[in-house]
Amino acid sequence: MGDSGLASEVNEHQRLQLQFQLFQESLPKVDETIYRMLLNEAVPLAISVEKSLTHHKEDATGQLEAELDSKLALESQQGDASHKLLKDYLAADQDQQTRIKTRLENIGFQLGQKLSQLLIFSNNPNLSFKDMDLLSVMKFVCRDVWKQVFGKQIDNLKTNHRGTFYLLDYNYKPIEPFTLEEDLSDQEQKLIEPFLHVPCGMIRGVLASLGFEKEGQVTCQATLVDPPDSKQAGAGTFTKSVSFNVQVLVGR
Amino acid sequence: MSANSASISASSAGPKKSLKTFGDDIWKNKTAKINAELFTLTYGSIVSQLCTDFERDFKKVNSQLYAMGYNIGVRLIEDFLARTALPRCDSLAQTSEVISKCAFKIFLNVTPQVGNWSNNKDAFSLFLDENPLSDFVELPMDAAKELWYSNILCGVLRGALEMVQMDCDVWFVNDVLRGGQSTEMRVKLNRIMKDEIPAGED
């Protein structure tokens, strides 16, 4: 009696799971390559915005010059190439770099906020947003959010149960195609930094939409770290992992 | 217009396999896919951040989106050519078919209608019935006047075509988000750029 009840429960769960899968497959899709490109292109975009904004300020005194500039700008509407813009990032001063990073984090933040909505309405039978504590929210980020955006889960989650979390991603997808040697120079390291600010913002955005919304309550920083030895990949592949350090101030 | 487009599509249908089935096939079997809603949301975040940065100066937002698209387009064409292995197009008519039936299909899974050919066949329009970039998007009043929300597409097209020696102007003439009847993108061929031959070679 009890046995058959359990069996039908499993079936019910399986049925929901199947239904969810079918639903996911039926959703409109786009190519993955362009999504990756769009996401990565946000970095040169942010640099280019910074450039044109500071440029604009300098010109504010010479109105005529600015006018002439806008006329000339019509000719070369394309702006600078992405790789040149990335170089500009290295040349930019501290303030500018901070503004660029904030801009990228904002993009990530907005995306994160909407992502949790997207996932809440996806009818995933494994997800329940009722009575979620901080740990299950972080698990949600590691499992479902990461899966949705990067097609994989976070590889390792560590916590001290007091609001500090380490999220380790051994092969963070957006920077995976970058060719980087093991002895990474400081410049190269610096150049990757802005690419890590989008996911940082994203994590904060997801947390904000799930109740951790107070200003400055959540901080998130990402650093490149060496992967543990067991995960050492073959030669020629990207060898750095990303570690996200999330601090959540829990009221009490 | 209808007569024009009909004759063009008939003449450009490939000898072995039509471009449409070709594009469908690649989309179905050789494409890693990702949720379109995620794509829409990501693009939305980028545009909204741009609007904030430029303090709702939508002309600047337009050109920034265009520039971003251009940078994507010049690299996207490599991926496209590698995946499709299509030869060079003989005519703009064929180019238009490849764009709508292969490129848009493979990357965005939509097939815009080609039409509105100019008299000397150097310009055409792409009608986007579905546009994954602007799903569930509604523009506020001030943006609806000046912002071309999907302007990144123009940049992508321009950049990609430039890499195959076609100097084109691409711009939006109409957008449903701005209250238009349809979303219409105009492509105008300025000239075919010459292949550069290294000096001293015969």
Side-chain angles (χ1 to χ4, degrees):
Chain A
M1 187 69 183
D3 210 44
S4 69
L6 194 69
S8 72
E9 202 174 286
V10 169
N11 283 341
E12 176 67 7
H13 185 76
Q14 278 173 337
R15 197 182 61 78
L16 283 174
Q17 197 76 53
L18 195 71
Q19 206 171 32
F20 170 65
Q21 216 162 38
L22 283 174
F23 170 70
Q24 285 290 307
E25 275 160 27
S26 75
L27 286 176
K29 297 276 194 294
V30 294
D31 178 53
E32 201 187 336
T33 323
I34 48 160
Y35 180 68
R36 299 264 167 266
M37 278 181 147
L38 181 74
L39 207 57
N40 273 354
E41 199 61 34
V43 175
L45 175 81
I47 299 168
S48 157
V49 170
E50 181 59 39
K51 244 178 103 178
S52 71
L53 283 180
T54 44
H55 187 67
H56 185 72
K57 264 184 219 138
E58 281 161 14
D59 271 4
T61 44
Q63 196 64 41
L64 191 75
E65 211 175 316
E67 227 166 84
L68 198 71
D69 225 45
S70 72
K71 265 177 198 152
L72 287 171
L74 255 182
E75 278 298 304
S76 59
Q77 214 183 0
Q78 287 100 299
D80 287 338
S82 314
H83 57 279
K84 287 213 183 98
L85 288 167
L86 285 175
K87 243 190 211 160
D88 289 341
Y89 175 76
L90 287 177
D93 61 40
Q94 202 78 42
D95 285 357
Q96 286 175 316
Q97 288 186 354
T98 316
R99 281 200 294 272
I100 290 167
K101 287 176 189 166
T102 317
R103 191 162 293 135
L104 287 165
E105 257 187 58
N106 284 344
I107 291 176
F109 188 82
Q110 289 186 42
L111 176 61
Q113 279 186 315
K114 293 178 222 151
L115 260 178
S116 47
Q117 287 174 30
L118 181 73
L119 288 162
I120 285 167
F121 290 109
S122 69
N123 288 323
N124 188 340
N126 294 330
L127 272 180
S128 143
F129 290 88
K130 231 173 158 187
D131 313 317
M132 243 183 168
D133 60 348
L134 182 56
L135 185 62
S136 43
V137 169
M138 288 311 288
K139 278 187 185 158
F140 167 72
V141 171
C142 293
R143 209 181 291 137
D144 303 280
V145 173
W146 231 253
K147 185 111 186 121
Q148 178 76 270
V149 183
F150 305 114
K152 68 181 285 269
Q153 298 182 6
I154 282 272
D155 297 292
N156 200 340
L157 169 66
K158 285 183 194 150
T159 175
N160 68 351
H161 295 285
R162 284 193 198 85
T164 304
F165 295 86
Y166 281 97
L167 283 65
L168 269 166
D169 195 341
Y170 296 138
N171 48 346
Y172 176 58
K173 287 283 172 198
I175 60 170
E176 215 186 6
F178 297 1
T179 317
L180 293 168
E181 301 299 320
E182 211 147 336
D183 48 340
L184 202 61
S185 75
D186 287 350
Q187 265 203 342
E188 286 173 312
Q189 177 119 19
K190 212 168 174 204
L191 209 53
I192 298 179
E193 270 174 25
F195 287 91
L196 301 178
H197 278 267
V198 181
C200 282
M202 203 173 76
I203 293 174
R204 284 202 302 120
V206 172
L207 287 175
S209 65
L210 292 175
F212 301 90
E213 65 221 320
K214 270 180 254 135
E215 188 76 31
Q217 191 182 11
V218 182
T219 49
C220 179
Q221 274 173 336
T223 41
L224 286 178
V225 291
D226 286 314
D229 286 339
S230 58
K231 271 280 172 182
Q232 207 62 273
T237 51
F238 190 71
T239 49
K240 291 282 176 192
S241 310
V242 183
S243 161
F244 298 95
N245 174 11
V246 187
Q247 299 270 0
V248 186
L249 301 174
V250 193
R252 234 185 326 138
Chain B
M1 172 207 139
S2 57
N4 265 350
S5 59
S7 71
I8 281 155
S9 60
S11 68
S12 67
K16 313 175 282 244
K17 215 159 113 190
S18 81
L19 282 171
K20 190 177 177 312
T21 44
F22 185 62
D24 287 354
D25 193 45
I26 293 177
W27 166 254
K28 230 192 214 153
N29 303 319
K30 294 185 189 163
T31 306
K33 301 176 188 72
I34 200 161
N35 190 347
E37 288 174 1
L38 175 66
F39 180 68
T40 314
L41 293 181
T42 308
Y43 185 66
S45 310
I46 290 173
V47 176
S48 104
Q49 181 60 33
L50 273 179
C51 292
T52 320
D53 284 334
F54 287 118
E55 289 159 350
R56 308 187 82 75
D57 183 343
F58 297 113
K59 285 213 177 73
K60 281 190 188 146
V61 175
N62 286 341
S63 70
Q64 198 63 248
L65 284 173
Y66 189 92
M68 184 189 187
Y70 179 86
N71 281 332
I72 292 178
V74 294
R75 280 173 287 134
L76 194 64
I77 185 77
E78 298 288 338
D79 187 66
F80 176 73
L81 292 176
R83 255 199 270 185
T84 58
L86 279 169
R88 201 170 269 235
C89 297
D90 332 309
S91 62
L92 191 66
Q94 202 180 355
T95 310
S96 72
E97 295 287 297
V98 170
I99 291 171
S100 80
K101 298 207 170 102
C102 291
F104 269 92
K105 178 73 195 176
I106 293 172
F107 292 118
L108 296 176
N109 191 23
V110 293
T111 314
Q113 297 289 321
V114 180
N116 230 345
W117 282 88
S118 65
N119 285 333
N120 49 354
K121 298 271 178 291
D122 67 344
F124 62 91
S125 289
L126 291 163
F127 293 93
L128 287 145
D129 302 328
E130 304 163 86
N131 179 2
L133 286 177
S134 63
D135 273 343
F136 1 91
V137 175
E138 244 180 87
L139 295 181
M141 284 288 266
D142 58 337
K145 287 196 196 91
E146 285 187 89
L147 178 67
W148 292 114
Y149 186 82
S150 314
N151 212 27
I152 190 171
L153 287 180
C154 297
V156 171
L157 219 52
R158 149 105 218 212
L161 286 171
E162 197 171 299
M163 291 298 118
V164 289
Q165 270 88 38
M166 294 172 87
D167 177 12
C168 291
D169 281 334
V170 188
W171 70 98
F172 271 107
V173 283
N174 220 338
D175 193 340
V176 280
L177 290 183
R178 294 172 61 145
Q181 288 288 311
S182 58
T183 304
E184 181 180 354
M185 229 168 125
R186 192 93 183 133
V187 182
K188 184 179 179 298
L189 178 69
N190 293 330
R191 69 199 168 95
I192 305 233
M193 291 184 274
K194 281 204 197 93
D195 279 336
E196 297 285 339
I197 298 164
E201 232 174 75
D202 286 317

